[in-house]
Amino acid sequence: MKVYRLPQAAGIDSLTLCEEPTPTPGPYQVLVRVRATSLNFRDLMVVRGAYGRGGLRTNLVPLSDGAGEVEAVGDGVTRVQPGDRVAGIFMQRWIGGAITPEASASALGGAIDGMMADHVVLNQDGLVRIPAHLSFEEAATLPCAAVTAWHALVEHARITAGDTVLIQGTGGVSIFALQFALAMGARVIATSSSDEKLARARAMGASEGINYRAVPEWQEAVLAATEGRGADHVVEVGGAGTFARSLQAVRLGGKVSLIGVLTGQAEMNPTPIMRRLINVQGIYVGSREMFEAMNRAIALHMLRPVIDRVFAFDDAKAAFRLMESAAHFGKIVIRHG
Ligand SMILES: NC(=O)c1ccc[n+]([C@@H]2O[C@H](COP(=O)([O-])OP(=O)(O)OC[C@H]3O[C@@H](n4cnc5c(N)ncnc54)[C@H](OP(=O)(O)O)[C@@H]3O)[C@@H](O)[C@H]2O)c1
């Protein structure tokens, strides 16, 4: 089988295509024929060697997100059978409930080998069935970005009809947040560096679009669009460059889901969090239970992930380069086989 490995994490050109024997599933394990994978910003950090504190394993197989079909099962497998259409869950050991240290150390394409291969062997507990109306390419976008957006909007913010959600940029997490917020009857304000991308976000249903390059004090525009009240929930992916403004853009007693650090890390002033009674919650993807609940909503509302471009497996480095350019809208996908 074909598999990409990272002998060392020194940039996109470190990705090395290898030929290896197809693995055999042991007890409680499942052999998945991977049909598609998708990229997250974190995967770019992984190939750059800029992800995690402890350094990466050598020869890691990258990518957390993939979907395919069950090809064979080992002894004792009861959750799936050959032919089932499945996706891997981001943290292989976070099934439900509160996260544990073991669960947080079981992320595909980080702590353990990921999905960037023709075949992978996963424990039966680390899989979910994918919604029937989705292609493998579409389903491959769900495990990280979509579950993260779901966790933020549903588990943390408990968004309800009429709420206002602020999304930052038009990458994978933010566009899923847009789709889920609309499905729940919320109003969405989007920011982006690009007027063209804002037009696309509005065409999908966003009420307002603010160009954060043209309007650096975009939090003022959010306040103006909400009659001075502020957004009920901010899906915060910017990090140091956006967090202080997010604390001004959210309403008194509102919620900020802290998801990304696209603009790096910095010291912060905690006072507005206290004075404005803001509920700031760190989000790290989500559990299998969250993934399954999200899949029910996706199936019910016939939601389709927004895919910017699909690359061939042999052209996977170009997929990483597109992510690096930040020219994409929504998700970047690699088709396998
Ligand atoms: N905590 C978690 O569990 C978790 C899960 C998934 C992702 N993340 C993190 O969340 C972030 C987004 O991930 P992703 O995979 O969605 O990335 P992505 O698809 O690469 O999206 C990046 C987009 O973010 C926007 N952006 C960049 N700088 C911005 C700024 N200063 N203000 C507003 N928007 C800005 C840009 O959108 P425009 O081109 O429209 O300006 C850019 O295209 C990353 O930091 C990632 O590591 C965390």
Side-chain angles (χ1 to χ4, degrees):
M1 68 164 192
K2 285 179 171 178
V3 51
Y4 278 97
R5 290 194 180 270
L6 269 182
Q8 79 269 344
I12 295 170
D13 285 325
S14 312
L15 284 166
T16 305
L17 188 55
C18 311
E19 192 67 47
E20 295 180 5
T22 301
T24 310
Y28 307 106
Q29 289 183 330
V30 177
L31 178 67
V32 179
R33 172 79 171 93
V34 182
R35 294 292 182 186
T37 46
S38 84
L39 267 58
N40 293 286
F41 190 78
R42 167 248 201 194
D43 302 310
L44 185 59
M45 292 164 77
V46 164
V47 300
R48 285 173 175 163
Y51 188 78
R53 277 170 298 161
L56 292 165
R57 312 158 27 143
T58 39
N59 269 330
L60 179 77
V61 179
L63 298 188
S64 56
D65 290 11
E69 62 223 345
V70 174
E71 202 165 273
V73 297
D75 288 345
V77 169
T78 52
R79 290 193 68 242
V80 292
Q81 55 189 14
D84 283 354
R85 301 166 78 246
V86 294
I89 61 174
F90 183 92
M91 271 167 270
Q92 285 285 291
R93 299 219 188 106
W94 194 6
I95 306 305
I99 193 163
T100 61
E102 294 74 33
S104 93
S106 67
L108 290 169
I112 61 173
D113 280 345
M115 301 294 287
M116 208 174 180
D118 283 347
H119 289 85
V120 297
V121 164
L122 300 175
N123 187 283
Q124 64 168 345
D125 291 330
L127 295 167
V128 293
R129 283 199 182 73
I130 58 178
H133 71 289
L134 297 187
S135 66
F136 287 123
E137 284 84 2
E138 290 169 328
T141 67
L142 301 178
C144 178
V147 175
T148 300
W150 180 266
H151 186 169
L153 266 69
V154 177
E155 300 281 332
H156 173 223
R158 303 199 176 277
I159 287 305
T160 188
D163 282 354
T164 298
V165 177
L166 173 66
I167 60 165
Q168 298 177 339
T170 56
V173 172
S174 302
I175 294 302
F176 275 120
L178 167 66
Q179 291 177 293
F180 295 149
L182 293 175
M184 287 182 266
R187 171 195 185 201
V188 176
I189 301 176
T191 69
S192 175
S193 58
S194 150
D195 288 341
E196 194 196 327
K197 289 180 176 181
L198 287 174
R200 284 185 72 180
R202 271 195 294 264
M204 287 178 66
S207 307
E208 260 88 30
I210 305 163
N211 187 318
Y212 62 81
R213 292 246 166 87
V215 185
E217 303 298 326
W218 48 262
Q219 76 281 7
E220 300 293 346
V222 175
L223 293 173
T226 54
E227 294 163 343
R229 184 170 178 264
D232 296 283
H233 179 215
V234 179
V235 181
E236 166 58 61
V237 297
T242 52
F243 187 65
R245 289 189 173 84
S246 292
L247 297 180
Q248 296 172 52
V250 74
R251 72 164 165 84
L252 271 178
K255 295 188 175 174
V256 176
S257 294
L258 193 49
I259 292 171
V261 285
L262 282 167
T263 56
Q265 299 166 34
E267 286 182 11
M268 52 162 268
N269 174 11
T271 307
I273 299 174
M274 174 266 292
R275 284 258 165 83
R276 307 198 63 243
L277 293 87
I278 299 166
N279 178 328
V280 178
Q281 173 71 52
I283 302 285
Y284 184 29
V285 194
S287 65
R288 191 181 81 200
E289 275 179 6
M290 293 180 206
F291 199 159
E292 287 168 338
M294 177 191 80
N295 280 349
R296 287 192 289 275
I298 288 175
L300 181 67
H301 292 277
M302 297 293 277
L303 296 178
R304 304 206 92 103
V306 176
I307 296 175
D308 186 277
R309 226 177 121 183
V310 180
F311 289 84
F313 190 67
D314 290 346
D315 201 19
K317 289 180 186 175
F320 280 82
R321 291 207 174 88
L322 175 58
M323 171 146 278
E324 193 168 47
S325 76
H328 60 290
F329 182 96
K331 295 297 296 179
I332 300 168
V333 168
I334 298 170
R335 184 180 292 128
H336 292 219

Coordinates of all heavy atoms in Angstrom, one line a residue, residues 40-42 144 148 168-173 191-193 197 212 237 242 259-263 283-285 323 326 328 330, ligand 1:
N40 N -6.2 19.9 8.0 CA -6.5 20.9 9.0 C -5.2 21.8 9.1 O -4.1 21.3 8.9 CB -6.9 20.3 10.3 CG -8.2 19.6 10.2 OD1 -9.3 20.2 10.1 ND2 -8.2 18.3 10.1
F41 N -5.4 23.0 9.6 CA -4.2 23.8 9.8 C -3.2 23.1 10.7 O -2.0 23.2 10.5 CB -4.7 25.2 10.5 CG -3.6 26.2 10.5 CD1 -3.3 26.9 9.3 CD2 -2.8 26.4 11.6 CE1 -2.2 27.8 9.3 CE2 -1.8 27.4 11.6 CZ -1.5 28.1 10.5
R42 N -3.7 22.4 11.6 CA -2.8 21.6 12.5 C -1.9 20.6 11.7 O -0.7 20.5 12.1 CB -3.7 20.8 13.5 CG -3.0 19.8 14.3 CD -3.5 18.4 13.9 NE -3.3 17.4 14.9 CZ -3.4 16.1 14.6 NH1 -3.7 15.7 13.5 NH2 -3.2 15.2 15.6
C144 N -12.1 16.5 12.4 CA -11.5 17.6 13.3 C -12.3 18.9 13.2 O -12.9 19.3 14.2 CB -10.1 17.8 12.8 SG -9.2 19.1 13.7
T148 N -15.0 20.1 16.0 CA -14.6 21.2 16.8 C -15.7 22.3 16.8 O -16.1 22.9 17.8 CB -13.3 21.8 16.2 OG1 -12.3 20.7 16.3 CG2 -12.8 23.0 17.0
Q168 N -14.6 33.7 12.5 CA -13.4 34.5 12.1 C -12.8 33.8 10.9 O -12.4 32.6 11.0 CB -12.4 34.6 13.2 CG -13.0 35.3 14.4 CD -12.0 35.4 15.6 OE1 -11.2 34.5 15.7 NE2 -12.2 36.3 16.5
G169 N -12.7 34.4 9.8 CA -12.1 33.8 8.6 C -13.1 32.8 8.0 O -14.2 32.5 8.5
T170 N -12.6 32.2 6.9 CA -13.5 31.3 6.1 C -12.8 29.9 5.9 O -12.9 29.3 4.9 CB -13.8 31.9 4.8 OG1 -12.6 32.2 4.1 CG2 -14.7 33.1 4.9
G171 N -12.0 29.5 6.9 CA -11.3 28.2 6.8 C -12.3 27.1 7.3 O -13.5 27.3 7.5
G172 N -11.7 25.9 7.5 CA -12.5 24.7 7.7 C -13.4 24.8 9.0 O -14.6 24.6 8.8
V173 N -12.9 25.2 10.1 CA -13.7 25.3 11.3 C -14.8 26.3 11.2 O -15.9 26.1 11.5 CB -12.8 25.6 12.6 CG1 -13.6 25.9 13.8 CG2 -11.8 24.5 12.8
T191 N -16.1 37.3 9.5 CA -15.0 38.2 9.1 C -14.1 37.4 8.1 O -14.1 36.2 8.1 CB -14.1 38.6 10.3 OG1 -13.4 37.5 10.8 CG2 -14.9 39.2 11.5
S192 N -13.4 38.2 7.3 CA -12.5 37.5 6.3 C -11.5 38.6 5.8 O -11.8 39.8 5.9 CB -13.2 36.9 5.2 OG -12.3 36.5 4.2
S193 N -10.4 38.1 5.3 CA -9.4 39.1 4.7 C -9.9 39.4 3.2 O -9.2 40.2 2.6 CB -8.1 38.4 4.6 OG -8.2 37.2 3.9
K197 N -14.5 36.2 -0.5 CA -14.9 35.1 0.4 C -16.1 35.5 1.3 O -16.9 34.7 1.6 CB -13.7 34.7 1.3 CG -12.6 34.0 0.6 CD -11.4 33.7 1.5 CE -10.4 32.8 0.9 NZ -9.3 32.5 1.9
Y212 N -11.5 42.1 7.8 CA -10.7 42.5 8.9 C -9.4 43.2 8.5 O -8.7 43.8 9.3 CB -10.4 41.3 9.8 CG -9.7 40.1 9.2 CD1 -8.3 40.1 9.1 CD2 -10.4 38.9 8.9 CE1 -7.6 39.0 8.6 CE2 -9.7 37.8 8.3 CZ -8.3 37.9 8.2 OH -7.7 36.8 7.7
V237 N -10.7 31.7 16.4 CA -9.6 30.9 15.8 C -8.3 31.7 15.6 O -7.3 31.1 15.2 CB -10.0 30.2 14.4 CG1 -11.2 29.2 14.6 CG2 -10.4 31.3 13.4
T242 N -6.5 38.2 17.6 CA -7.9 38.5 17.6 C -8.5 38.4 19.0 O -9.6 39.0 19.1 CB -8.6 37.4 16.7 OG1 -8.2 36.1 17.1 CG2 -8.3 37.6 15.2
I259 N -10.4 28.3 20.1 CA -10.1 27.1 19.3 C -8.7 27.2 18.6 O -8.0 26.2 18.6 CB -11.2 27.0 18.2 CG1 -12.5 26.6 18.8 CG2 -10.8 26.0 17.1 CD1 -13.7 26.7 17.9
G260 N -8.3 28.3 18.1 CA -7.1 28.4 17.3 C -6.2 29.5 17.7 O -6.6 30.4 18.4
V261 N -5.0 29.3 17.2 CA -4.0 30.4 17.4 C -3.3 30.7 16.1 O -2.1 30.7 16.0 CB -2.9 29.9 18.5 CG1 -3.5 30.0 19.9 CG2 -2.5 28.5 18.2
L262 N -4.1 31.0 15.1 CA -3.6 31.2 13.7 C -2.6 32.4 13.7 O -1.7 32.4 12.9 CB -4.8 31.6 12.8 CG -5.6 30.4 12.3 CD1 -6.9 30.9 11.6 CD2 -4.8 29.6 11.3
T263 N -2.8 33.4 14.6 CA -1.9 34.5 14.6 C -0.9 34.4 15.7 O -0.4 35.5 16.1 CB -2.8 35.8 14.7 OG1 -3.6 35.8 15.9 CG2 -3.6 36.0 13.5
I283 N -11.4 24.7 23.5 CA -12.0 23.6 22.8 C -10.9 22.7 22.2 O -10.1 23.3 21.5 CB -13.0 24.1 21.7 CG1 -14.1 25.0 22.3 CG2 -13.6 22.9 20.9 CD1 -15.2 24.4 23.0
Y284 N -11.0 21.4 22.4 CA -10.0 20.6 21.7 C -10.8 19.5 21.0 O -11.3 18.5 21.6 CB -9.0 20.0 22.7 CG -7.9 19.1 22.0 CD1 -7.5 19.3 20.7 CD2 -7.3 18.1 22.8 CE1 -6.5 18.5 20.2 CE2 -6.3 17.3 22.2 CZ -5.9 17.5 20.9 OH -4.9 16.8 20.4
V285 N -11.1 19.7 19.7 CA -12.0 18.8 18.9 C -13.2 18.3 19.7 O -14.0 19.1 20.2 CB -11.1 17.7 18.2 CG1 -11.9 17.0 17.1 CG2 -9.8 18.3 17.6
M323 N -3.1 25.1 1.6 CA -3.5 25.5 2.9 C -2.5 26.6 3.4 O -2.9 27.5 4.1 CB -3.4 24.2 3.9 CG -3.5 24.6 5.3 SD -4.4 23.4 6.3 CE -6.1 23.8 6.0
A326 N -3.5 30.0 2.4 CA -4.7 30.5 3.0 C -5.7 31.0 1.9 O -6.5 31.9 2.2 CB -4.4 31.6 4.0
H328 N -7.8 29.2 0.4 CA -9.0 28.3 0.3 C -10.2 28.8 1.1 O -10.0 29.7 2.0 CB -8.6 26.9 0.9 CG -8.1 26.9 2.3 ND1 -7.0 27.5 2.7 CD2 -8.8 26.5 3.5 CE1 -6.8 27.4 4.1 NE2 -7.9 26.8 4.5
G330 N -13.3 27.0 3.2 CA -13.8 25.7 3.6 C -12.6 24.7 3.7 O -11.5 25.0 4.1
Ligands
LIG1 N1 -8.6 23.4 19.2 C1 -9.0 22.5 18.3 O1 -9.5 21.4 18.6 C2 -8.9 22.9 16.9 C3 -9.5 22.2 15.9 C4 -9.4 22.6 14.5 C5 -8.6 23.7 14.3 N2 -8.0 24.4 15.3 C6 -7.3 25.6 15.0 O2 -8.2 26.6 14.5 C7 -7.5 27.4 13.6 C8 -8.3 27.3 12.2 O3 -8.1 26.0 11.8 P1 -8.6 25.5 10.3 O4 -8.2 24.1 10.1 O5 -10.0 25.9 10.2 O6 -7.7 26.5 9.4 P2 -7.8 26.9 7.9 O7 -8.8 26.1 7.2 O8 -6.4 26.9 7.4 O9 -8.4 28.4 8.0 C9 -7.5 29.5 8.1 C10 -8.3 30.8 7.8 O10 -8.4 31.5 9.0 C11 -8.5 32.9 8.6 N3 -7.7 33.8 9.4 C12 -6.3 33.8 9.4 N4 -5.9 34.9 10.2 C13 -7.0 35.5 10.6 C14 -7.3 36.6 11.5 N5 -6.3 37.3 12.0 N6 -8.6 36.9 11.7 C15 -9.6 36.2 11.2 N7 -9.4 35.1 10.4 C16 -8.1 34.8 10.2 C17 -8.3 33.0 7.1 O11 -9.5 33.2 6.5 P3 -9.8 34.3 5.4 O12 -8.9 33.9 4.2 O13 -11.2 34.3 5.1 O14 -9.3 35.6 6.0 C18 -7.7 31.7 6.8 O15 -8.0 31.3 5.5 C19 -6.1 26.9 13.5 O16 -5.3 27.7 14.5 C20 -6.2 25.5 14.0 O17 -5.0 25.0 14.6 C21 -8.1 24.0 16.6

